[in-house]
Amino acid sequence: MTSTYIEAGGHVRVYDDAVRTHQVFPLGTYRVHFSSKEGFSLVKIDDLTVGTERIYGGRDRKVAKIFRSYALADRSLGVMLSGDKGIGKSLFLRMVAAAAREQGLPVVIVSEDHDGIVEFLDSLDECLIVLDEFEKIFPAGRRGHGDGSNRQNQFLSLFDGLSSVKRIYCLTVNDVADVSTYLVNRPGRFHYHMRFEYPGPEEVRQYLLDQAPNAAPEEIENVALFSRRARLNYDHLRAIAFELEQPETLFSEVVEDLNIKSIEPSTYRIEARFPDGKVWSEEVEMNLFERGDVGRTFELRNGTRSIFASFVPKDLIFEPDGGIFVPITRLELLDDEDEEPEIYPTSVGLTLIGQAAYGFGL
């Protein structure tokens, strides 16, 4: 057996012939590990891969943009991926990791917080550093997290990109509100902030055509129209596709049984059109699919005037084209003096926002 002798800081450690030394950072995927006895190290793990899953929404172009910019930059590049769970951040991250390896860049995943993590990361050679669920692992000290300390600001000097070694830093974030204000809207630290929105009707149709080829066309259309009324993520669509592949499955029955009930409010643009052609509009957060017999009230403003409108979700009309309307006869209106307005709107419609059609086309 051949021994390997490694000297560091005046100490010589003896290892068996399983030890290998490298002059450059070996290509691969690693997770940062910490122990109180040995400090930080890298543990090799399986590569993050995309597999045969089809990519929707032109995200391959976004990946190409990241690496094109990195090649042109003379400093590190920061990329922030934000959006709710289940809408494709993890898949996009796997795409970025695969592209990094193709470029000869090792991938380092950071999944735990320990003092000294920044110094350790800054000791690494050129690579892609991934910090998944950044605001969860490194709380900003708001909303009652942990002991109130801000664990994100320790990265500011690293993310400034002025290190002698060039790297890509890629964060995934579920809630931007929990990210330090020193990171959001700071292109010097994060050149890209790619927001992931919910898939719109066209993406929903294409996904189901690919993943549920035996589904009835009218049922696929029903799902696409439903996506204009409630937000569906890819986890939802995966479950729906599985069900629609079964013979004679009706989406109206599937949606009642699947674990996809909307418990979080969605944002809707409410527009009230009046006989004189004026449109009063407002964006309102509400959940239309829970407690449908309980009234919802919202305020519409036009200059210094306001009207307060109330309706019951079970009275809503869902049009075949995806439009949502409140029957005027079922609408209760009061002006800002708590009196019934002299002129009623001719129509009141709701449009779900926060889908791909309203985002950056990711």
Side-chain angles (χ1 to χ4, degrees):
M1 180 182 71
T2 302
S3 296
T4 299
Y5 301 86
I6 297 180
E7 180 178 356
H11 294 272
V12 176
R13 297 183 182 274
V14 182
Y15 298 89
D16 60 23
D17 55 3
V19 172
R20 299 171 60 192
T21 60
H22 302 271
Q23 297 302 314
V24 296
F25 196 166
L27 185 62
T29 303
Y30 305 85
R31 187 178 302 279
V32 175
H33 174 71
F34 176 83
S35 73
S36 57
K37 183 178 180 180
E38 298 182 353
F40 289 97
S41 61
L42 297 176
V43 178
K44 195 163 188 178
I45 61 174
D46 292 337
D47 289 333
L48 301 179
T49 58
V50 177
T52 59
E53 188 173 353
R54 176 172 175 175
I55 309 302
Y56 298 89
R59 293 174 181 174
D60 50 344
R61 296 193 299 272
K62 300 291 184 181
V63 174
K65 176 190 290 187
I66 290 171
F67 286 92
R68 183 170 60 249
S69 297
Y70 181 66
L72 295 173
D74 57 1
R75 51 182 284 173
S76 294
L77 181 71
V79 181
M80 185 183 301
L81 313 176
S82 70
D84 292 342
K85 293 183 177 181
I87 55 176
K89 297 192 305 297
S90 295
L91 175 60
F92 188 83
L93 190 59
R94 295 200 299 271
M95 294 172 64
V96 173
R101 294 194 306 275
E102 291 176 0
Q103 300 280 335
L105 294 177
V107 178
V108 176
I109 299 173
V110 182
S111 58
E112 53 188 68
D113 180 18
H114 297 282
D115 289 338
I117 182 66
V118 172
E119 291 75 14
F120 175 73
L121 295 177
D122 202 25
S123 71
L124 301 177
D125 289 337
E126 188 175 6
C127 61
L128 165 67
I129 294 179
V130 174
L131 298 101
D132 197 15
E133 295 191 320
F134 178 71
E135 84 281 21
K136 178 180 177 181
I137 297 173
F138 304 97
R142 299 195 296 271
R143 299 190 180 185
H145 286 305
D147 59 3
S149 62
N150 191 320
R151 297 296 295 169
Q152 296 177 12
N153 288 348
Q154 64 180 315
F155 290 95
L156 297 183
S157 60
L158 184 69
F159 293 157
D160 277 335
L162 301 180
S163 171
S164 59
V165 178
K166 183 179 171 183
R167 308 181 189 93
I168 300 178
Y169 302 109
C170 188
L171 313 185
T172 69
V173 173
N174 293 323
D175 192 345
V176 177
D178 287 334
V179 178
S180 169
T181 55
Y182 295 110
L183 299 178
V184 179
N185 293 328
R186 299 296 181 100
R189 292 189 172 118
F190 282 89
H191 186 73
Y192 291 120
H193 179 182
M194 297 181 175
R195 173 73 183 177
F196 286 70
E197 305 291 357
Y198 285 82
E202 288 304 319
E203 284 189 34
V204 169
R205 288 189 188 94
Q206 189 58 59
Y207 182 92
L208 293 177
L209 286 171
D210 293 339
Q211 305 300 326
N214 296 319
E218 58 270 21
E219 295 306 317
I220 291 179
E221 190 62 23
N222 285 338
V223 182
L225 293 177
F226 184 79
S227 73
R228 296 186 61 178
R229 307 166 187 171
R231 297 184 296 188
L232 295 176
N233 62 35
Y234 284 103
D235 289 341
H236 295 156
L237 292 178
R238 193 173 295 110
I240 292 171
F242 175 82
E243 293 293 332
L244 291 185
E245 270 291 270
Q246 315 308 314
E248 300 181 0
T249 300
L250 300 178
F251 174 65
S252 59
E253 297 176 355
V254 167
V255 75
E256 290 295 326
D257 298 330
L258 283 177
N259 183 25
I260 61 173
K261 302 298 186 295
S262 179
I263 59 174
E264 296 294 334
S266 298
T267 302
Y268 296 86
R269 180 180 293 109
I270 300 178
E271 293 185 346
R273 298 181 179 274
F274 287 84
D276 60 1
K278 292 182 179 179
V279 178
W280 293 24
S281 64
E282 192 65 59
E283 290 186 4
V284 178
E285 279 196 350
M286 64 178 73
N287 188 330
L288 299 180
F289 300 95
E290 292 288 326
R291 303 175 67 190
D293 57 346
V294 177
R296 310 291 198 270
T297 300
F298 56 89
E299 179 184 7
L300 292 174
R301 291 187 296 270
N302 185 8
T304 59
R305 299 174 58 196
S306 296
I307 57 173
F308 297 87
S310 300
F311 69 94
V312 177
K314 68 179 183 180
D315 292 333
L316 291 174
I317 297 174
F318 294 92
E319 298 287 356
D321 64 356
I324 309 173
F325 292 94
V326 184
I328 298 300
T329 57
R330 308 295 294 177
L331 189 67
E332 295 183 8
L333 291 178
L334 292 175
D335 60 21
D336 43 16
E337 296 180 354
D338 289 337
E339 295 182 356
E340 189 172 347
E342 295 181 2
I343 301 176
Y344 264 58
T346 56
S347 68
V348 176
L350 290 76
T351 302
L352 177 68
I353 65 174
Q355 292 181 312
Y358 300 98
F360 296 104
L362 272 174

